[in-house]
Amino acid sequence: MGGMISRSFRIALLFLMALVTFSAGQAAAAEVVRVGVLKFGTVSWELDTIKRHKLDEKHGITVDVQAFAGEDATNVALMAGAVDIIVSDWLWVSRQRATGQDLTFVPYSTAVGAIMVPPDSPIKGLGDLAGKTLGVAGGSLDKNWLLIQAMAKKDHSVDLASASTIVYGAPPLLTEKVQQGELDAVLNFWNYCARLEAKGFRRLVGGHEAAAALGASGPIVALGYIFHDTWAKDHPAAIEAFVKASADAKALLEQSDDEWTALAPMIPGEEAERKAMRDRYREGIPRASADEVEGDARALFSVLADIGGEELVGPSKELMPGTFWRAQ
């Protein structure tokens, strides 16, 4: 009897060892996808959700999140091969493709900035900004700023860049200045707009309204995950797994308020501000088809090219083929 038990024990032990070895081999085989993000950027919310729920492992990859201090640093890291994926806009991708780079883009968010005014502001429309002081985040070539300028010219015959006093600055600084009354209005990034909204500020006009006035059929995709075509072709399973993990995370963040409770330490501001950012994030989840997204981008590209010129769009006068990634 003792020999039978010993033999059975040995067989069970060998089976267990084989199972552990197989599992370890499976884990070792999981491909690592390196994602570069801004240290305090909103994309971190989605990536944290992926890691917390092991959505990357679910789809057979390991997401390695690498934080950078600024957008230029993430761009350099991608071009140098230090990371596989970053987040930026399709204009940058098209410009890079026009100069021979093989970057491509998967939609991440349609959340865009807006012009915000104080609750008691007499400003009711774009035409009322003439003679006012307007803060603009993102610089003179920010696409929301360019789209809103084009809308102001088209609908109100106003050249905002010359009719208003424009103050360019960092989003947090402009947010403070408009609250202190040093600015009449501010065009800011979507998450800062949400924080102002929670404090009673009004949305005058946003990038989506401007895009619609200029021919877009729906909410424009603002940001996307960007990677090299060659990397995607060499690692097709990895990029498809990452896209699926991203979609899973978005579904959780859209459906569950508990997820936002878990993210609270990563989101600045009071509870009302965090709720406003949650709601705007959810509104920004892309829902249009790939054809619709690319069609709107093509329609807006020519408008942006006319206003921003080569400095914004590069040497091409139209959206470069391949800017938007399509699974093979």
Side-chain angles (χ1 to χ4, degrees):
M1 180 68 70
M4 289 179 62
I5 293 174
S6 176
R7 184 170 179 273
S8 298
F9 177 76
R10 288 199 301 271
I11 292 173
L13 183 61
L14 287 172
F15 177 78
L16 180 61
M17 291 174 64
L19 184 62
V20 170
T21 301
F22 175 78
S23 298
Q26 289 290 93
E31 187 164 2
V32 176
V33 177
R34 302 165 299 169
V35 186
V37 296
L38 298 183
K39 190 171 184 180
F40 300 108
T42 58
V43 181
S44 298
W45 307 345
E46 182 172 302
L47 295 174
D48 181 81
T49 304
I50 288 175
K51 297 302 293 182
R52 197 158 24 85
H53 289 280
K54 299 184 178 180
L55 300 176
D56 52 348
E57 296 178 24
K58 169 187 171 183
H59 293 289
I61 59 173
T62 299
V63 169
D64 175 21
V65 181
Q66 300 183 21
F68 293 86
E71 186 175 358
D72 288 344
T74 65
N75 295 351
V76 169
L78 178 66
M79 303 304 274
V83 296
D84 304 309
I85 298 174
I86 64 170
V87 172
S88 190
D89 62 64
W90 48 263
L91 273 176
W92 184 70
V93 172
S94 182
R95 186 166 71 246
Q96 293 299 317
R97 289 187 78 89
T99 59
Q101 298 294 332
D102 71 334
L103 299 184
T104 191
F105 175 104
V106 168
Y108 161 72
S109 176
T110 66
V112 295
I115 294 179
M116 306 295 294
V117 296
D120 57 353
S121 172
I123 298 172
K124 303 299 181 184
L126 287 178
D128 297 333
L129 288 170
K132 306 296 185 183
T133 301
L134 172 65
V136 175
S140 60
L141 293 178
D142 176 76
K143 64 178 177 297
N144 285 319
W145 173 224
L146 296 176
L147 289 172
I148 287 173
Q149 286 183 74
M151 180 185 183
K153 288 179 181 178
K154 176 178 177 290
D155 293 349
H156 302 278
S157 301
V158 173
D159 181 355
L160 286 180
S162 59
S164 305
T165 300
I166 307 302
V167 178
Y168 297 107
L173 178 62
L174 295 178
T175 301
E176 288 300 318
K177 284 187 175 297
V178 76
Q179 290 180 90
Q180 293 166 1
E182 296 181 37
L183 302 172
D184 297 306
V186 61
L187 171 59
N188 217 330
F189 297 163
W190 76 266
N191 50 320
Y192 289 94
C193 291
R195 297 181 69 179
L196 287 171
E197 194 172 19
K199 296 180 178 180
F201 278 66
R202 289 188 289 109
R203 295 171 68 90
L204 186 70
V205 63
H208 288 322
E209 293 95 325
L214 299 170
S217 63
I220 56 172
V221 168
L223 297 173
Y225 289 112
I226 295 169
F227 44 90
H228 289 277
D229 255 333
T230 49
W231 177 80
K233 289 173 182 175
D234 291 341
H235 307 271
I239 185 57
E240 289 186 27
F242 180 79
V243 171
K244 289 176 181 177
S246 169
D248 287 351
K250 283 184 172 70
L252 282 172
L253 291 169
E254 181 173 28
Q255 298 162 9
S256 172
D257 290 346
D258 289 341
E259 292 302 318
W260 293 91
T261 300
L263 289 174
M266 300 177 65
I267 304 176
E270 302 296 327
E271 183 179 359
E273 295 173 78
R274 290 196 296 271
K275 285 183 177 179
M277 284 189 274
R278 176 200 65 192
D279 294 345
R280 290 300 180 185
Y281 173 92
R282 287 171 169 172
E283 289 177 7
I285 295 174
R287 308 186 192 279
S289 70
D291 287 340
E292 289 171 329
V293 168
E294 188 166 351
D296 283 341
R298 291 189 182 283
L300 294 176
F301 189 93
S302 59
V303 175
L304 294 169
D306 286 343
I307 306 173
E310 188 169 334
E311 186 180 0
L312 176 69
V313 301
S316 177
K317 296 300 182 184
E318 61 183 23
L319 188 75
M320 290 294 293
T323 294
F324 287 82
W325 179 74
R326 302 294 183 99
Q328 301 299 313

